[in-house]
Amino acid sequence: MKILSENNESHLVPNRECGQCTACCVVLLIDDKNFKKPADQRCVNIMKTGGCKIYNKRPSVCQEWHCAWRFMAQLDENWRPDRSGILLRSDENGIIFQPIQDPKKVLTNERTIELIGGGVAQGIPMSMSIPTKKGFRSYSVSLNEPLEIAVQSRNLFTIQEKMVELIEFASAQNTSSIAD
């Protein structure tokens, strides 16, 4: 039986650190009793070289949250969010691909399609969270059912076409304001 360390980080890939990546410090909403930060806004505590000015006293939500790259050993160094352009998150519903760069570019490259397609083929719930208009919430799209036939074709171009269609659909949706 694996015993969790006091800081609950025993599930993280050893020696894998955030480094200069601050994607979560920009993308995520922080609504802690002692600290609030809207989604898609740079945290005031990010240092110019990366990292956090209040690291040792950061809110508990910041201490406890890790992107999927930190705990999925099968993801290599190129999957670090600032390198891949994708913040990978996991929750009880599977893996969420949240682009932090151009969605069509980062979500349709061969490496990303391989990861998404592999998850879909294995029945792992996969979804993406696509930005809509600036200042508005992203739109979430489940990928498993819409990509199932394309993934079964094992044709990269077919899967890429379907991903572009899903990205365009999601980005055109009317969502609520981030301020709401």
Side-chain angles (χ1 to χ4, degrees), residues 92-159:
E92 64 279 353
N93 298 317
I95 299 173
I96 304 162
F97 290 73
Q98 185 166 355
I100 57 175
Q101 295 173 6
D102 177 9
K104 287 183 185 176
K105 180 179 178 186
V106 299
L107 294 175
T108 62
N109 68 53
E110 190 171 347
R111 184 172 48 111
T112 304
I113 294 294
E114 185 177 316
L115 185 60
I116 291 172
V120 168
Q122 293 176 48
I124 299 167
M126 310 293 267
S127 63
M128 62 183 179
S129 180
I130 301 298
T132 57
K133 295 180 286 196
K134 186 157 182 67
F136 286 77
R137 296 186 188 278
S138 292
Y139 187 81
S140 183
V141 176
S142 173
L143 296 174
N144 291 63
E145 188 177 322
L147 284 179
E148 186 176 1
I149 292 171
V151 167
Q152 288 173 357
S153 78
R154 301 187 59 83
N155 181 297
L156 176 63
F157 183 71
T158 301
I159 300 168

Side-chain angles (χ1 to χ4, degrees), residues 11-31:
H11 66 290
L12 299 179
V13 176
N15 302 315
R16 184 174 283 180
E17 300 295 330
C18 300
Q20 292 183 338
C21 183
T22 56
C24 63
C25 304
V26 176
V27 173
L28 300 178
L29 166 74
I30 305 295
D31 192 7

Side-chain angles (χ1 to χ4, degrees), residues 3-11:
I3 305 293
L4 289 178
S5 64
E6 260 184 52
N7 64 8
N8 294 326
E9 293 190 351
S10 63
H11 66 290

